[in-house]
């Protein structure tokens, strides 16, 4: 069972999951983990619970129960639930980016084809049985932008995403690189939210069709087409 769960985790390289360790359901009473293993379980439990229940509704007791980590370990390492949640969200964002843009880099094709492949990879993500939306977006909407530390984590995450998109858009030979970059980012965010609300992967391919209409038909070196304003 543990091997199967580990393989599934590695397929996405992200801790966001629905009780992957299965401790609460199997009744395992192993000795509390320590060191890096304990930290990984704390991050995974915090993200999983926050995505399923929300940040405010997630208690320290639940994190301890789901992770199997000693309470003192949590407080020694993070000091508070809020600090743990912030660390878990930052970690989740980092791991998601590594997964997403690695998948994109592995996708063959021209820059234009890779821009469309963004939404094919999102479709893959939306079809996972543990898809519950973007952890950062969920936390931001719940907190109504009152958490400055969370806002800092989100800004850093979006900056990394935009940088990757901008480089790919530039390689595609578009006149207005910044405009198309922002449009694609907006399409991605919209698809993420709609897929979570509607509980369907359909928004990924809907967004792909819009992106295809925005992209120029010519590559760099040929006649350029400025991105269309929505």
């Amino acid at each position: 069972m543990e091997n199967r769960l580990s393989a599934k985790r590695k397929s996405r390289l992200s801790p966001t999951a629905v009780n992957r360790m299965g401790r609460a359901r199997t009744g395992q009473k192993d000795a509390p983990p320590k060191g890096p293993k304990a930290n990984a379980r704390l991050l995974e439990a915090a993200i999983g619970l926050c995505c399923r229940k929300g940040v405010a509704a997630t208690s320290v007791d639940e994190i301890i129960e789901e992770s199997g980590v000693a309470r003192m370990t949590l407080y020694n390492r993070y000091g508070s639930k809020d600090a743990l949640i912030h660390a878990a969200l930052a970690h989740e964002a980092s791991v998601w980016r590594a997964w997403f843009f690695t998948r994109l880099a592995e996708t063959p094709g021209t820059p234009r084809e890779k821009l469309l492949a963004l939404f094919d990879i999102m479709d893959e993500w939306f079809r996972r049985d543990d898809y519950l939306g973007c952890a950062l977006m969920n936390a931001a909407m719940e907190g109504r932008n009152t958490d400055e530390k969370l806002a800092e984590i989100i800004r850093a995450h979006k900056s990394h995403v935009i940088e990757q998109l901008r480089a790919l858009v530039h390689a595609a030979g578009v006149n207005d690189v910044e405009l198309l970059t922002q449009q694609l980012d907006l399409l991605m965010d919209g698809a993420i939210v709609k897929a979570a609300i509607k509980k369907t992967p359909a928004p990924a391919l809907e967004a792909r069709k819009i992106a295809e209409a925005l992209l120029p038909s010519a590559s760099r070196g040929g006649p350029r087409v400025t991105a269309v304003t929505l």
Side-chain angles (χ1 to χ4, degrees):
M1 181 65 151
E2 181 69 21
N3 289 338
R4 182 174 67 80
L5 291 172
S6 295
K8 183 178 180 182
R9 181 183 297 111
K10 290 177 182 178
S11 71
R12 177 165 173 259
L13 303 178
S14 173
T16 300
V18 180
N19 198 17
R20 282 184 179 160
M21 297 307 297
R23 297 181 62 86
R25 296 181 183 178
T26 63
Q28 289 177 324
K29 298 298 181 181
D30 299 336
K34 298 179 180 180
K37 187 175 182 180
N39 192 53
R41 285 192 176 182
L42 283 171
L43 295 173
E44 182 171 320
I47 283 294
L49 285 164
C50 287
C51 283
R52 301 199 304 272
K53 302 184 61 177
V55 173
T58 294
S59 69
V60 170
D61 286 344
E62 288 172 313
I63 295 172
I64 295 302
E65 175 67 21
E66 183 148 328
S67 68
V69 174
R71 184 182 299 270
M72 189 59 67
T73 300
L74 187 158
Y75 285 110
N76 284 343
R77 187 174 293 272
Y78 293 104
S80 68
K81 168 193 157 182
D82 286 347
L84 169 60
I85 297 301
H86 289 149
L89 288 169
H91 177 72
E92 169 71 357
S94 176
V95 175
W96 182 88
R97 291 193 306 270
W99 168 77
F100 189 83
F101 289 109
T102 296
R103 286 283 293 109
L104 185 62
E106 294 171 345
T107 301
T110 64
R112 180 183 185 279
E113 290 168 337
K114 283 180 176 287
L115 286 174
L116 295 178
L118 289 168
F119 302 96
D120 297 330
I121 298 170
M122 294 183 76
D123 178 72
E124 176 186 329
W125 180 30
F126 296 166
R127 291 180 185 277
R128 289 184 59 89
D129 58 9
D130 64 351
Y131 178 71
L132 295 170
C134 170
L136 291 182
M137 285 185 184
N138 294 347
M141 288 187 284
E142 180 182 351
R144 299 181 182 277
N145 296 319
T146 59
D147 186 335
E148 181 53 37
K149 179 61 178 178
L150 174 59
E152 179 183 326
I153 293 169
I154 293 172
R155 284 194 295 269
H157 170 67
K158 294 302 294 182
S159 177
H160 287 302
V161 171
I162 290 293
E163 182 181 354
Q164 295 279 351
L165 290 178
R166 185 181 290 116
L168 198 55
V169 170
H170 183 269
V174 177
N175 271 339
D176 196 332
V177 172
E178 193 60 31
L179 176 59
L180 185 56
T181 298
Q182 295 299 329
Q183 288 173 328
L184 292 174
D185 181 58
L186 181 61
L187 282 176
M188 291 171 66
D189 284 351
I192 288 169
V193 174
K194 188 174 180 180
I197 293 174
K198 297 290 188 179
K199 301 185 185 305
T200 171
L205 298 186
E206 293 169 0
R208 190 186 196 280
K209 291 179 181 179
I210 297 174
E212 192 167 10
L214 292 172
L215 289 170
S217 59
S219 61
R220 187 179 295 278
R224 294 184 177 184
V225 180
T226 302
V228 178
T229 303
L230 289 175

